[in-house]
């Protein structure tokens, strides 16, 4: 459809200014658009399904008067490449509304500065609900900002040009259908804090052959979340060291990941004193205690005085940094040596710093 005309004199509807759209006059709501629509100034709402499956719609300009965009309003507009949201828009679909889903060629999303409800921070090419740090809509060029906590339902649905995506450590949930039909994705990494993957989240991601999960917050994912990932080649799931059995118990089985489930090798970080693969406050307390000095065989030594000259200087500080970042230890003038001891018990690794 390329032309919409309402006859002059209609008391309920109009197509003002040759806009090629059906408008409800009293409410200034655009009810139906087409491939050639120009949204007139004064329009306040884009109705549900207004541009549904307008596959020839190449561009759309929202006037500043627009405050709301309804569910499925631009669903399936596969030729749409740019999306610019005015600052007065305060409502974009409901929680289940696929407002821009299926816009498979979308490469740019910009929210005008001053919008109090939404943003596209850090030139991320995404639509974000500011108050909740939820990414509502992404595109083929999206870079997910580090402070995002949730990826919403259908956020990347049908983004078939999305080649890679980095999910930040702060993300705790991935919504239903979030990456459905992202057919160019070949791998995906899940962060340590992830707690939920919704149903059909990666459905029909036919080229994914590698899934790496860093989380120890093991949970059951939604129905058919990974349906289709084995289409071209068996998909391999890599999980943290010592967690394979727990993942399998939660439903992450080789029936889903036909390439098998493997455990990542444990990477030694000297600051990870308790060996849980994370540097936490527990590790920090242990390190600080060591720096402040311990009673070792009746001799109280300031551990931060690495070179043993009776002072804590920049030389000692550099040495301490080296110790935290690597396993290279430096002896003091007292003849003592730093040593890293590794012990294994029930597949748990403990790393101790000893001074002797």
């Amino acid at each position: 459809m390329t032309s919409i005309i309402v006859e002059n004199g209609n008391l309920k509807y109009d197509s003002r200014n040759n806009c090629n759209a059906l408008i409800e006059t009293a409410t200034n709501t655009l009810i139906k658009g087409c491939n050639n629509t120009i949204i007139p100034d004064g329009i306040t709402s884009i109705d549900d399904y207004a541009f549904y499956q307008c596959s020839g719609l190449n561009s759309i300009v929202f006037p500043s008067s627009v405050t709301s965009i309804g569910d499925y309003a631009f669903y399936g507009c596969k030729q749409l490449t740019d999306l610019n949201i005015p600052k007065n828009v305060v409502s974009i679909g409901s929680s289940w509304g696929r407002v821009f889903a299926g816009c498979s060629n979308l490469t740019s999303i910009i929210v005008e500065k001053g919008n109090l409800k939404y943003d596209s921070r850090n030139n991320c090419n995404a639509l974000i609900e500011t108050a909740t740090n939820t990414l509502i809509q992404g595109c083929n060029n999206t870079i997910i900002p580090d402070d995002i906590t949730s990826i919403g339902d259908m956020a990347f649905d049908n983004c078939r040009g999305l080649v890679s995506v980095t999910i930040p450590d702060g993300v705790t949930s991935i919504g239903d259908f979030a990456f459905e039909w992202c057919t160019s994705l070949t791998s995906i990494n899940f962060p340590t804090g992830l707690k939920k993957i919704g149903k059909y989240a990666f459905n029909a991601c036919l080229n994914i052959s590698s899934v790496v999960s860093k989380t120890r917050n093991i949970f059951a994912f939604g129905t058919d979340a990974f349906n289709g990932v084995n289409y071209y080649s068996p998909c391999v799931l890599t999980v943290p060291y010592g967690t394979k059995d727990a993942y399998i118990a939660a439903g992450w089985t080789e029936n889903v990941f036909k390439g098998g489930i493997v455990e990542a090798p444990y990477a030694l970080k000297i600051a990870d004193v308790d060996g849980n693969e994370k540097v936490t406050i527990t590790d920090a307390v242990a390190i600080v205690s060591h720096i402040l000095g311990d009673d070792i065989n009746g001799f109280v030594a300031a551990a931060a005085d690495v070179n043993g000259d009776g002072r804590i200087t920049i030389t000692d500080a550099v040495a301490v940094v080296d110790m935290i970042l690597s396993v290279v230890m430096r002896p003091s003038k007292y003849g003592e040596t730093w040593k890293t001891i590794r012990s294994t018990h029930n597949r748990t690794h403990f790393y101790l710093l000893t001074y002797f």
Side-chain angles (χ1 to χ4, degrees):
M1 187 158 60
T2 58
S3 175
I4 300 176
I5 298 173
V6 178
E7 185 179 4
N8 290 336
N10 189 304
L11 300 180
K12 183 73 180 287
Y13 305 104
D14 69 85
S15 54
R16 66 191 73 168
N17 307 329
N18 299 314
C19 63
N20 281 312
L22 176 63
I23 297 168
E24 188 176 55
T25 305
T27 62
N28 287 314
T29 298
L30 192 150
I31 296 174
K32 184 60 184 175
C34 68
N35 292 331
N36 289 339
T37 294
I38 298 174
I39 303 176
D41 291 337
I43 294 300
T44 57
S45 299
I46 310 297
D47 207 5
D48 297 347
Y49 296 91
F51 291 87
Y52 183 86
Q53 295 283 12
C54 286
S55 57
L57 183 70
N58 295 312
S59 63
I60 197 73
V61 176
F62 297 104
S64 60
S65 54
V66 172
T67 60
S68 68
I69 302 172
D71 289 344
Y72 295 89
F74 292 89
Y75 179 92
C77 294
K78 60 181 66 176
Q79 297 303 319
L80 194 63
T81 58
D82 302 296
L83 184 60
N84 293 274
I85 305 297
K87 65 180 180 181
N88 293 321
V89 173
V90 294
S91 175
I92 300 178
S94 68
S95 60
W96 281 96
R98 296 188 179 201
V99 182
F100 300 101
C103 296
S104 55
N105 284 299
L106 197 61
T107 57
S108 173
I109 300 177
I110 298 173
V111 179
E112 185 180 5
K113 290 182 179 180
N115 191 303
L116 300 179
K117 183 73 179 289
Y118 305 104
D119 69 85
S120 54
R121 65 194 70 168
N122 306 330
N123 299 314
C124 63
N125 280 313
L127 175 63
I128 297 167
E129 187 177 55
T130 305
T132 63
N133 288 316
T134 298
L135 192 151
I136 295 173
Q137 180 65 48
C139 70
N140 293 328
N141 289 341
T142 294
I143 299 175
I144 303 176
D146 289 339
D147 50 1
I148 293 301
T149 57
S150 299
I151 297 173
D153 296 344
M154 309 149 191
F156 290 88
D157 182 275
N158 259 284
C159 288
R160 301 196 180 203
L162 184 69
V163 175
S164 65
V165 63
T166 300
I167 301 178
D169 284 338
V171 171
T172 60
S173 68
I174 298 173
D176 298 340
F177 304 93
F179 290 89
E180 184 181 39
W181 283 107
C182 290
T183 53
S184 294
L185 277 179
T186 59
S187 64
I188 193 77
N189 288 3
F190 296 136
T192 56
L194 189 64
K195 299 177 181 178
K196 176 189 175 184
I197 298 175
K199 62 185 179 182
Y200 300 99
F202 295 90
N203 178 48
C205 292
L206 305 178
N207 280 294
I208 288 183
S209 60
S210 172
V211 173
V212 177
S213 179
K214 298 178 181 178
T215 182
R216 290 180 175 272
N217 301 311
I218 303 166
F219 53 88
F221 49 79
T223 303
D224 286 333
F226 299 98
N227 182 48
V229 298
N230 299 289
Y231 187 80
Y232 288 115
S233 60
C235 184
V236 177
L237 171 65
T238 303
V239 299
Y241 186 86
T243 64
K244 178 178 177 178
D245 292 344
Y247 268 87
I248 292 174
W252 301 63
T253 67
E254 292 184 357
N255 290 330
V256 178
F257 301 96
K258 297 186 183 303
I261 302 173
V262 298
E263 292 183 349
Y266 187 82
L268 172 64
K269 293 182 180 178
I270 206 66
D272 179 17
V273 178
D274 60 8
N276 67 351
E277 299 186 54
K278 295 183 291 184
V279 178
T280 64
I281 189 64
T282 302
D283 301 306
V285 169
I287 292 170
V288 169
S289 175
H290 189 78
I291 289 174
L292 292 177
D294 299 310
D295 187 343
I296 304 167
N297 295 327
F299 175 71
V300 178
D305 181 14
V306 179
N307 64 1
D309 64 356
R311 298 176 301 161
I312 297 175
T313 64
I314 188 63
T315 303
D316 301 305
V318 170
V320 171
V321 169
D322 284 346
M323 293 171 196
I324 292 174
L325 295 180
S326 70
V327 295
V328 177
M329 301 304 170
R330 299 188 180 187
S332 76
K333 74 174 186 178
Y334 299 108
E336 296 102 357
T337 58
W338 287 97
K339 183 178 180 182
T340 301
I341 295 179
R342 170 175 172 171
S343 65
T344 304
H345 179 65
N346 292 335
R347 306 182 75 180
T348 303
H349 288 251
F350 298 88
Y351 294 87
L352 307 174
L353 292 177
T354 61
Y355 193 72
F356 61 95

